[in-house]
């Protein structure tokens, strides 16, 4: 790995103070901030996501890693130029209208941040207007989460709203959501796990649409 | 109703009760029992809004009875839309979104978990909780979850006093109404009330109602031994609630709502160190007293089935939510009765033919030797389709008949008192609020029947205990 091993390890071990120290040392030592993000923090978060998907890490560890990474991002982000960060794309993540579950959605937010994307966390109970506003602010991928069989149908409305806009992709996930359901409602993608969401977003932005 | 009609209904009830209890003891009844946990679906079926059934429990009860009359079900929960606005409004309870007030009238009530910054218990309050859980609930927790009740030390207020009086009276009224509801289910449709009593894991109580899940995750990292101590301190109290609310006839199980004690909410190590050791003794002791527990295993507990096998045969009924019901059957079916496993997605969004195909498969495999109860995976809200529930019911009646099944009354286990009935170290005994000894010290020397005075004190005092622990567990 070309980046800073200490920063990579600190994120992986969810050690907030060490992340802050390693980022500061990197910045002070002249390492390009884009490299701190893309070569150290992003690979560490990818590793964390893979371990979670493999059942080796659990939600508490993911939450700690997210906090540690966020502390690093708070330093790095203001220093990033648009070309360093914005090039990967802007993604908005929200739990759909009527649904207040956010543990899974928060993991998706954190994995996408850890994947180097600019992420807008839309929170819970998101209406079409909320997603529209996110698109107006530059998001090109919308991630919808739902935990209730009674709210997952709202995803169809979100997909319908943006179907005619080729620049916007809508991808879906959450416990009751299946690939078949995603295909049924015409979503541009489906992710079973938070770490898979990063890959699906990346595929969407690259122009291939796995679930449609 | 004629005497003959009453007799027929009573026979139907007895048949269904035997079918249900035989299956729950992992036996082979005459046919597969059906026990759907229908919540807001009942409103949809009876033509009420979610607002109506939440605000008016008579309507909620009526909706449940309507379902029991219209569908051939063996057992139902008397009211699965268990939150009544009368209660939440009396206390100004902060953690429910109520239809027509906080959420639209046709959306079910919902529990709103505060974020870690607004948790109802702070990270530095473990010692206070551990020392006296009942006092902590009254002094610290209740004033925080209620917009009306004052903190000790604050000036009392008219609204605060009213809230306590109205809250207690509302609870009495509501709980009292369940007796009539169960009797009406029995005589109007021959339907069994599916569960009695309530249990939740100490760990879940901390996550759901005290520290919040994220707060508890932090505590598990920063002060795991305090968390364990708190779980242990809660144990005798939660056992007491379960035991005293259980079915005295030992026929139907205690409901145990399992929220976030499984992987990936906790690590396998945390399950082994905190969650399971503070649940298992309670389940075992309830079983020693003849009470089965219904493990309503929300989510997927596949990583923990081996731990559940440590429990005595038949001591639990295991409800399958998002796990693979066929896999759970292979791993637990020899020891415990299973229920559920029919995906809510199918029941809400797929054609009836798919529901039938899936139910038939479950009956063929999981129910083959008895010990299975037909139900959806999770509680059924108003998105569930009536025709799909009818398909589930008809398919079970069509394919779920056993040849040579028996309906033997369940054996009663040996009763033995264990350590959980004891204090558990907390200042106030489970079931009490102010100990008699403290009260007695403030009285003159008693004359006549002193035991009678003590008994009355203890009985009335225990109502204060019921009040606070029921808020914590049931609402
Ligand atoms: C591209 O975009 C993407 C991609 C991937 C995506 C994605 C988006 N979103 C998620 N992913 C994926 O990545 C994540 C990590 O890999 C995964 O995310 P998940 O979100 O699937 O998984 C999370 C990491 C963990 N899973 C969870 O967090 C959900 C856990 C359970 C226990 C659960 C919880 C915690 C809660 N609940 Co609720 N709750 C249950 C759940 C039962 C269970 N154990 O599963 C479920 C979902 N709840 C249910 C119910 C009924 C309810 N709940 C309610 C309330 C709550 C709490 C507030 C108590 C709490 C939420 C706290 C919070 N801040 O989120 C109410 C509704 C509130 C509302 N309007 O939303 C209420 C209605 C109960 C009530 N009457 O109050 C049931 C739904 C039944 C149904 N018919 O669908 C339920 C299955 C429980 C049950 N068995 O009955 C993937 O799916």
């Amino acid at each position: 790995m070309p980046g800073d091993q200490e920063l990579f390890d600190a994120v992986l071990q969810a050690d907030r103070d060490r992340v802050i120290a390693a980022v500061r040392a990197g910045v002070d030592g002249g390492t390009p901030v884009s490299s701190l993000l893309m070569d150290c923090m992003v690979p560490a978060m990818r590793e964390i996501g893979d371990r979670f998907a493999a059942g080796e890490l659990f939600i508490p560890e993911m939450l700690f890693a997210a906090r540690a990474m966020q502390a690093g991002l708070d330093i790095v982000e203001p220093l990033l130029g648009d070309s360093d960060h914005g090039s990967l794309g802007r993604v908005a993540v929200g739990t759909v209208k009527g649904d207040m579950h956010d543990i899974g959605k928060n993991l998706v937010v954190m994995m996408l941040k850890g994947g180097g994307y600019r992420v807008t966390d839309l929170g819970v109970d998101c209406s079409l207007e909320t997603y529209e506003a996110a698109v107006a602010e530059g998001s090109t991928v919308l991630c919808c989460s739902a935990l209730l069989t009674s709210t997952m149908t709202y995803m169809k409305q979100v997909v319908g709203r943006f179907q005619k806009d080729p620049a916007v992709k809508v991808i879906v996930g959450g416990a009751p959501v299946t690939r078949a359901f995603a295909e049924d409602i015409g979503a541009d993608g489906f992710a079973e796990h938070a770490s898979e969401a990063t890959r699906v977003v990346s595929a969407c932005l690259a122009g291939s649409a796995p679930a449609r | 109703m004629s005497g003959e009609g009453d007799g027929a209904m009573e026979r139907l009830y007895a048949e269904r009760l035997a079918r249900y209890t035989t299956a729950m003891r992992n036996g082979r009844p005459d046919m597969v029992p059906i026990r759907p946990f229908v919540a807001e679906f009942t409103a949809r079926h009876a033509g009420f809004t979610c607002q109506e059934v939440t605000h008016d429990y008579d309507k909620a009860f009526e909706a449940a009875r309507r379902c029991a009359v219209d569908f051939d079900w063996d057992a139902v929960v008397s009211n699965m839309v268990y939150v009544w606005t009368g209660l939440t409004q009396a206390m100004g309870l902060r953690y429910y979104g109520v239809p027509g007030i906080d959420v639209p009238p046709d959306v079910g009530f919902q529990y709103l978990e505060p974020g870690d910054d607004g948790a109802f218990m702070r990270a530095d309050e473990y010692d206070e909780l551990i020392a006296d859980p009942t006092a902590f609930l009254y002094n610290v927790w209740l004033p925080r979850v209620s917009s009306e009740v004052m903190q000790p030390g604050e000036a009392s207020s008219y609204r605060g006093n009213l809230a306590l009086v109205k809250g207690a009276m509302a609870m009495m009224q509501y709980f009292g109404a369940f007796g009539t509801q169960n009797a009406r289910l029995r005589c109007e449709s021959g339907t069994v009330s599916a569960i009695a009593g309530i249990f939740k894991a100490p760990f879940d109580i901390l996550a759901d109602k005290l520290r919040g899940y994220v707060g508890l995750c932090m505590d598990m990292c920063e002060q795991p031994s305090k968390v364990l101590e708190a779980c242990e301190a809660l144990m005798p109290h939660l056992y007491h609630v379960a035991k005293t609310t259980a079915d005295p006839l030992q026929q139907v199980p205690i409901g145990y709502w399992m929220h976030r004690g499984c992987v990936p909410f906790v690590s396998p190590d945390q399950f082994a160190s905190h969650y399971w050791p503070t649940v298992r003794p309670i389940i075992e002791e309830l079983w020693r007293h003849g009470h089965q527990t219904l493990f309503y295993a929300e989510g997927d507990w596949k990583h923990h089935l081996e731990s559940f096998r440590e429990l005595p045969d038949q001591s639990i009924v295991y409800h399958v939510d998002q796990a693979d019901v066929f896999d759970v059957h292979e791993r637990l079916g020899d020891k415990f009765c299973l229920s559920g496993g029919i995906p809510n997605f199918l029941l809400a969004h797929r054609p009836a033919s798919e529901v039938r195909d899936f139910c038939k498969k479950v009956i063929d495999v999981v129910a083959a030797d008895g010990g299975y109860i037909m139900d959806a995976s999770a509680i059924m809200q108003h998105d569930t389709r009536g025709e799909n529930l009818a398909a589930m019911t008809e398919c079970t009646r069509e394919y779920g008949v056993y040849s040579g099944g028996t309906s033997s009354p369940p054996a009663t286990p040996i009763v033995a008192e264990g350590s959980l009935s004891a204090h558990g170290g907390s200042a106030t005994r489970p079931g009490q609020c102010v100990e008699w000894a403290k009260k007695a010290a403030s009285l003159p020397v008693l004359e006549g029947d002193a035991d009678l005075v003590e008994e009355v004190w203890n009985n009335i005092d225990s109502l204060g205990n019921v009040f606070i622990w029921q808020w914590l567990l049931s609402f």
Side-chain angles (χ1 to χ4, degrees):
Chain A
M1 189 186 59
D4 180 335
Q5 184 70 40
E6 166 62 9
L7 179 54
F8 177 88
D9 290 344
V11 174
L12 202 61
Q13 288 157 28
D15 190 330
R16 201 165 168 270
D17 295 342
R18 265 174 66 204
V19 170
I20 294 172
V23 170
R24 289 223 171 99
V27 171
D28 293 347
T31 312
V33 278
S34 61
S35 167
L36 291 176
L37 178 67
M38 299 309 289
D39 299 331
C40 309
M41 292 163 75
V42 168
M45 285 309 289
R46 194 177 303 133
E47 175 80 25
I48 286 170
D50 289 347
R51 290 192 192 174
F52 177 72
E56 293 161 18
L57 281 187
F58 311 97
I59 297 176
E61 284 125 327
M62 296 274 279
L63 293 175
F64 292 129
R67 289 196 173 196
M69 187 197 61
Q70 188 60 50
L73 279 181
D74 288 344
I75 305 171
V76 165
E77 266 181 340
L79 305 174
L80 282 172
D82 249 7
S83 57
D84 295 325
H85 190 313
S87 58
L88 277 184
R90 194 183 263 274
V91 185
V93 189
T95 303
V96 295
K97 195 168 168 26
D99 203 319
M100 307 293 168
H101 294 84
D102 67 359
I103 300 173
K105 184 267 299 168
N106 292 346
L107 296 182
V108 173
V109 167
M110 129 195 190
M111 286 313 299
L112 288 169
K113 279 190 180 171
Y117 297 94
R118 277 212 170 155
V119 184
T120 310
D121 184 347
L122 302 174
V124 296
D125 196 21
C126 297
S127 63
L128 286 181
E129 292 74 48
T130 313
Y131 291 108
E132 281 164 1
V135 169
E137 279 166 21
S139 291
T140 53
V141 180
L142 302 176
C143 296
C144 301
S145 178
L147 263 285
L148 299 167
T149 53
S150 57
T151 56
M152 62 193 283
T153 45
Y154 195 76
M155 292 172 161
K156 190 171 177 183
Q157 294 189 43
V158 183
V159 169
R161 167 64 188 80
F162 296 103
Q163 205 139 36
K164 293 210 174 71
D165 187 345
V168 179
K169 308 284 182 202
V170 179
I171 67 173
V172 295
V177 181
T178 58
R179 191 171 300 281
F181 176 80
E183 280 168 11
D184 243 29
I185 62 170
D188 293 291
F190 161 74
E192 188 159 1
H193 296 293
S195 52
E196 201 184 329
T198 321
R199 281 189 280 276
V200 179
V201 166
S202 148
C204 275
L205 289 168
S208 60
R212 204 173 235 181
Chain B
M1 201 180 280
S2 74
E4 200 180 313
D6 283 354
M9 203 52 89
E10 197 46 38
R11 271 197 300 283
L12 179 62
Y13 176 84
E15 232 172 65
R16 283 173 166 171
L17 179 64
R19 181 175 305 143
Y20 182 45
T21 51
T22 303
M24 286 195 295
R25 297 298 163 105
N26 216 14
R28 193 181 154 104
D30 57 342
M31 53 179 97
V32 174
I34 309 174
R35 184 224 57 198
F37 273 18
V38 275
E40 284 81 3
F41 170 79
T42 59
R44 175 184 172 151
H45 181 73
F48 295 129
T49 62
C50 291
Q51 181 180 29
E52 285 175 300
V53 289
T54 313
H55 286 252
D56 180 349
Y57 66 73
D58 279 331
K59 286 195 171 132
F61 286 175
E62 184 186 332
R65 291 197 306 272
R66 185 85 64 84
C67 286
V69 168
D70 291 350
F71 293 92
D72 179 11
W73 294 339
D74 297 293
V76 296
V77 176
S78 347
N79 180 18
M80 199 62 232
V81 189
Y82 55 89
V83 169
W84 170 43
T85 323
L87 280 162
T88 59
Q89 282 188 334
M91 299 293 286
L93 213 55
R94 295 181 196 277
Y95 53 65
Y96 278 117
V98 171
I101 298 178
D102 313 291
V103 297
D106 220 5
V107 170
F109 75 83
Q110 39 196 276
Y111 179 72
L112 306 167
E113 185 169 296
D116 47 337
D117 40 359
F120 299 127
M121 172 183 156
R122 292 198 309 262
D124 60 3
E125 290 175 333
Y126 275 96
D127 285 335
E128 207 179 333
L129 172 74
I130 292 161
D132 194 339
T134 303
F136 182 85
L137 292 175
Y138 265 113
N139 294 334
V140 182
W141 181 76
L142 190 60
R144 287 185 188 154
V145 299
S146 160
S147 61
E148 312 286 315
V149 175
M150 298 290 149
Q151 307 259 5
E154 268 181 343
S156 74
S157 72
Y158 175 57
R159 299 243 332 213
N161 291 340
L162 263 184
L164 289 169
V165 174
K166 290 196 300 188
M169 301 280 269
M171 191 184 280
M172 290 277 255
Q173 180 186 328
Y174 185 44
F175 283 173
F178 276 88
T180 315
Q181 168 74 347
N182 292 348
R184 288 188 69 175
L185 281 169
R186 178 174 180 154
C187 67
E188 290 171 18
S189 56
T191 315
V192 178
S193 170
I195 48 177
I198 188 157
F199 175 64
K200 280 182 187 157
F203 192 86
D204 270 335
I205 286 291
L206 285 174
D208 290 354
K209 290 282 177 70
L210 295 165
R211 292 287 297 128
Y213 170 67
V214 176
L216 187 59
C217 286
M218 298 297 155
D219 298 343
M220 286 297 287
C221 175
E222 285 156 13
Q223 41 177 346
S225 55
K226 280 282 170 230
V227 177
L228 183 58
E229 261 186 80
C231 288
E232 286 166 352
L234 288 167
M235 281 174 76
H237 298 269
L238 295 172
Y239 166 74
H240 177 85
V241 176
K243 176 146 184 292
T244 51
T245 52
D247 176 8
L249 299 175
Q250 305 171 339
Q251 288 168 331
V252 300
I254 298 163
Y256 165 25
W257 308 95
M258 300 160 74
H259 290 161
R260 287 172 286 187
C262 61
V263 164
F265 293 103
V266 297
S267 68
D269 288 347
Q270 290 172 337
F271 177 87
S273 62
H274 286 65
Y275 188 90
W276 189 230
T278 53
V279 165
R280 179 183 163 176
I282 299 180
I283 306 301
E284 287 173 342
E285 183 134 342
L286 289 169
W287 179 239
R288 274 197 290 275
H289 286 265
H291 300 294
Q292 276 188 307
T293 307
L294 169 65
F295 274 44
Y296 200 84
E298 295 188 11
D300 186 349
W301 292 69
K302 63 171 177 279
H303 296 280
H304 312 294
L305 301 185
E306 281 312 307
S307 300
F308 301 151
R309 288 193 66 85
E310 293 163 6
L311 295 169
D313 286 5
Q314 301 178 26
S315 57
I316 67 168
V317 175
Y318 188 85
H319 182 85
V320 181
D321 179 12
Q322 287 154 31
D324 175 353
V325 66
F326 303 101
D327 175 55
V328 180
H329 169 64
E330 269 182 31
R331 296 173 57 191
L332 292 185
D334 60 322
K335 278 180 82 83
F336 312 120
C337 168
L338 306 188
S339 67
I342 311 297
N344 291 63
F345 175 72
L346 273 189
L347 293 160
H349 302 302
R350 303 302 301 168
S353 57
E354 279 185 35
V355 173
R356 282 180 68 87
D357 291 347
F358 194 85
C359 290
K360 186 169 181 308
K361 208 169 139 200
V362 171
I363 293 167
D364 287 345
V365 179
V366 181
D369 299 317
Y372 174 75
I373 298 164
M374 181 57 72
D375 188 7
S377 295
I379 57 158
M380 283 173 270
Q381 296 194 282
H382 50 307
D383 58 338
T384 310
R385 289 189 194 155
E387 66 268 29
N388 284 0
L389 264 179
M392 181 180 103
T393 308
E394 284 154 19
C395 172
T396 310
R397 288 298 182 239
E398 199 176 323
Y399 297 106
V401 178
Y402 295 105
S403 55
T406 55
S407 286
S408 49
T412 310
I414 320 109
V415 178
E417 205 64 32
S419 58
L420 275 168
S421 311
H423 247 245
S426 54
T428 309
R429 252 186 316 152
Q432 298 295 153
C433 291
V434 178
E435 299 281 343
W436 166 246
K438 276 193 197 146
K439 175 67 188 169
S442 71
L443 296 176
V445 176
L446 297 177
E447 291 179 33
D449 191 345
D451 290 346
L452 183 62
V453 183
E454 179 178 347
E455 192 188 320
V456 171
W457 173 264
N458 283 338
N459 287 345
I460 295 300
D461 186 65
S462 73
L463 294 178
N465 186 278
V466 168
F467 178 76
I468 197 69
W469 286 92
Q470 282 298 333
W471 277 114
L472 185 73
L473 270 102
S474 297
F475 304 109

